[in-house]
Amino acid sequence: MAKFPTFPTSRPRRLRHTPALRAMVRETELNPRDFIYPLFVRHGQGIRREVPSMPGVFQLSVDQLAAEAEEVASLGIPAVILFGIPAQKDPVGLENFAPDGIVQQAVRTIKEAVPDMVVVTDVCLCEYTDHGHCGLLNVGDPRPHPHLPEGYVLNDPTLEIIGKVAVSHAEAGADIVAPSGMMDGMVQAIRRALDEAQYEHIPILSYAVKYASGFYGPFRDAAESPPKFGDRSSHQMDPANAAEALKEASIDIAEGADMLMVKPALPYLDVIRRVKDAFPEVPLAAYNVSGEYSMIKAAAANGWLDERRVVLEALTAIKRAGADLILTYHAKDAARWLASD
Ligand code: PBG
């Protein structure tokens, strides 16, 4: 038996009659409090360099960050996530855990300017290594690992480095660390390293469910981090898999993740929903990634889409799918539009 009577008793249009009625029955409400705004930081002075494939997104030097953070805060956005472009790259990515590294400087500057701003740091190797991979490589003669192929991203040796990176971000004043490298055991390694250094109060936002996605293309321009050879399929997830997302999420929770992330967002709304349903107690973030941003910006620049309308629709859809928090390059625009509604 049908749950609802049929027409003419049922007329769903009755509740869509006026804007006020529609607002009363709206199930999902987007709020700037949901947003985490990504920032790209580089060395130098007075730099505000637009990323060609991401109009409206800039690489900033540290001296630009106080004003930027104040603007973000004034829009009601509570958090930023930092990505650094180092002065020099090497096989290990030494600047990644240097006390005066670019991200460490950025964290200190933002926390000084806007102490209440929640500063999240991305913990990975790919922006810092000269080969552009997310871990140490199986290279050399003899190779560090005898049974794995040359150039393979080594898991366990990489864990030691990301533990150091997380501690150095915490020392600089980061509020949350977010490992994005999809190494097995990365959450456990970071939790142990933080606890040992008495940062047991610093939460971990794990990029637990991160796909090997073509949608990261523009980010790799922005962060100057494309892999010099090969791709990231030996550690990031296969886009065809969804059940596996629950395994990744479950393992990361067991290792100590305080929050989880699904990335990208729009092509993976089903995965966001499944992870939220499986772990409703754990705050879930979704990363509306660079390629998702660039597609809308490109179409809007051509007059093919109404930017404001589709951005708010896309972000609402991500929240409706089950995300509590959204990392998005649209955050400042969306916050302005929401305020003017
Ligand atoms: C890795 C990292 C990436 C993104 C965030 N963290 C790139 C990658 O895995 O290649 C992508 C974000 C985006 O596309 O907006 N440090």
Side-chain angles (χ1 to χ4, degrees):
M1 229 211 327
K3 193 171 166 195
F4 294 99
T6 55
F7 177 84
T9 310
S10 276
R11 286 183 184 270
R13 289 184 61 185
R14 285 184 201 117
L15 295 181
R16 298 178 197 140
H17 205 62
T18 66
L21 275 170
R22 291 196 291 275
M24 279 178 76
V25 299
R26 191 159 293 138
E27 299 173 34
T28 307
E29 198 172 0
L30 208 53
N31 193 299
R33 271 196 311 273
D34 308 328
F35 300 152
I36 301 175
Y37 186 57
L39 292 175
F40 297 97
V41 194
R42 65 176 304 137
H43 291 276
Q45 276 273 313
I47 295 176
R48 226 186 139 74
R49 186 182 297 169
E50 192 164 44
V51 179
S53 53
M54 300 178 75
V57 172
F58 297 82
Q59 294 181 343
L60 303 174
S61 50
V62 173
D63 56 286
Q64 306 290 304
L65 291 177
E68 184 72 23
E70 277 155 18
E71 186 192 10
V72 170
S74 76
L75 292 166
I77 299 165
V80 293
I81 181 164
L82 300 181
F83 298 96
I85 299 134
Q88 266 169 29
K89 305 199 185 206
D90 55 74
V92 175
L94 293 170
E95 192 181 319
N96 212 351
F97 48 89
D100 61 346
I102 187 67
V103 162
Q104 290 80 355
Q105 290 183 37
V107 173
R108 285 193 293 265
T109 302
I110 295 173
K111 291 302 291 185
E112 197 169 308
V114 187
D116 289 339
M117 177 66 65
V118 176
V119 176
V120 186
T121 56
D122 185 88
V123 177
C124 192
L125 268 60
C126 61
E127 289 129 56
Y128 295 86
T129 50
D130 52 7
H131 44 72
H133 281 287
C134 306
L136 301 179
L137 297 183
N138 197 29
V139 290
D141 190 15
R143 298 203 293 266
H145 199 298
H147 307 306
L148 288 167
E150 175 152 37
Y152 186 83
V153 178
L154 294 169
N155 196 86
D156 300 16
T158 301
L159 297 181
E160 209 175 305
I161 309 238
I162 58 181
K164 277 194 204 172
V165 173
V167 169
S168 114
H169 290 174
E171 273 165 2
D175 297 291
I176 300 178
V177 293
S180 65
M182 289 296 280
M183 295 295 114
D184 294 335
M186 68 182 183
V187 174
Q188 182 189 70
I190 288 177
R191 188 69 274 154
R192 283 190 183 156
L194 288 173
D195 289 0
E196 231 163 77
Q198 289 190 292
Y199 290 108
E200 69 279 353
H201 54 290
I202 299 296
I204 299 174
L205 163 57
S206 178
Y207 288 68
V209 182
K210 177 171 175 181
Y211 288 90
S213 171
F215 288 98
Y216 307 149
F219 172 95
R220 292 175 188 173
D221 284 350
E224 303 182 8
S225 64
K228 295 283 168 327
F229 62 90
D231 61 23
R232 309 212 200 288
S233 318
S234 82
H235 43 104
Q236 298 179 344
M237 278 181 59
D238 183 333
N241 294 358
E244 189 188 359
L246 304 182
K247 174 180 165 186
E248 283 282 4
S250 166
I251 292 170
D252 279 12
I253 292 169
E255 288 183 18
D258 300 281
M259 304 192 246
L260 298 176
M261 193 193 303
V262 171
K263 176 185 170 189
L266 291 173
Y268 298 90
L269 294 179
D270 59 320
V271 177
I272 294 173
R273 171 47 57 198
R274 287 177 69 161
V275 172
K276 189 66 206 172
D277 284 347
F279 305 102
E281 311 85 351
V282 183
L284 181 62
Y287 202 140
N288 176 226
V289 302
S290 56
E292 300 173 56
Y293 175 86
S294 299
M295 285 195 297
I296 289 181
K297 293 301 271 192
N302 277 291
W304 297 338
L305 284 176
D306 173 343
E307 182 177 352
R308 171 184 172 139
R309 194 169 166 189
V310 297
V311 166
L312 293 177
E313 181 177 338
L315 297 177
T316 302
I318 294 167
K319 192 162 181 199
R320 190 199 63 229
D324 303 297
L325 297 165
I326 306 173
L327 295 88
T328 179
Y329 305 98
H330 298 293
K332 291 199 292 182
D333 289 333
R336 274 188 211 106
W337 293 326
L338 290 170
S340 73
D341 269 353

